[in-house]
Amino acid sequence: MSGGGPTSPGRSGASPLPSERKREALAAGSPIQPIIKDVGEIYSRLLDHRPVIQGEIRYFVKEFEEKRGLRELRVLENLKNTISETNEHVLPKCEQAMHDNLNETLKRLQAANDMIHGFQERELEKKKGRENASVSSFVGKWNWKLHYVTTPAQGAATWNSLPSAESIISFG
């Protein structure tokens, strides 16, 4: 494919398209070439807005990042101040209030524990008293039965010679 016309830089060795041939034929060595160049520059400046838009985008991004960075620095400074104030003032107050309240609560719990312990001791004493009364009643009944069952005529032991039931059964 060796053509008679000049090749375009994008096509390595290939023949130019028919529209490119006409353009090149008109522009090659003619006085119209500087005019075409000027029209291309005018078109680039007036109608091609990509460079301007890209510049504006770069400017906007730069400003946004700077403002965002400053805003984030202010937020971080506020957080730092809040944390330091909390550590220096609020935390000790909370610790003191907690300590005071826990001491008060501990005293109340100890008082409640003492009251419950007293109630338990009284209930235990009442229970022991009831048990002692029932044991005394039991012993009394058996002593009474023993008295009637054993008679001196049969040669059995007398009432006074038998050990008492209380000495046989000892309670704590």
Side-chain angles (χ1 to χ4, degrees), residues 24-145:
E24 289 176 4
L26 289 175
S30 69
I32 208 164
Q33 187 168 0
I35 296 172
I36 293 173
K37 197 176 210 181
D38 289 340
V39 168
E41 286 180 22
I42 292 171
Y43 170 79
S44 295
R45 291 183 183 226
L46 292 178
L47 301 175
D48 190 14
H49 300 293
R50 283 179 287 178
V52 174
I53 291 173
Q54 288 173 354
E56 287 293 322
I57 290 172
R58 280 193 294 271
Y59 175 75
F60 176 78
V61 168
K62 180 181 170 187
E63 288 293 315
F64 180 76
E65 287 176 350
E66 286 177 3
K67 289 179 182 176
R68 179 179 179 195
L70 293 176
R71 184 174 58 228
E72 288 178 354
L73 283 176
R74 284 192 301 266
V75 168
L76 290 175
E77 279 294 320
N78 289 339
L79 284 173
K80 178 185 168 194
N81 292 337
T82 304
I83 290 171
S84 64
E85 180 182 333
T86 301
N87 285 339
E88 293 171 3
H89 303 292
V90 177
L91 189 61
K93 288 179 184 177
C94 288
E95 286 176 347
Q96 184 62 36
M98 182 179 66
H99 183 69
D100 294 343
N101 289 336
L102 285 177
N103 283 338
E104 179 69 25
T105 305
L106 183 62
K107 289 176 184 175
R108 287 181 182 182
L109 285 173
Q110 286 174 342
N113 192 23
D114 292 341
M115 285 184 358
I116 289 173
H117 186 67
F119 288 144
Q120 286 177 338
E121 285 181 359
R122 278 181 274 183
E123 288 296 319
L124 186 61
E125 288 174 8
K126 286 180 184 178
K127 188 176 180 182
K128 281 185 180 180
R130 281 185 252 143
E131 286 177 356
N132 285 341
S134 67
V135 167
S136 296
S137 169
F138 175 75
V139 169
K141 287 179 185 177
W142 277 102
N143 280 338
W144 185 75
K145 289 180 183 179

Side-chain angles (χ1 to χ4, degrees), residues 147-169:
H147 175 67
Y148 284 110
V149 170
T150 59
T151 59
Q154 294 176 354
T158 62
W159 178 259
N160 292 333
S161 67
L162 291 175
S164 69
E166 292 167 318
S167 66
I168 295 172
I169 304 171

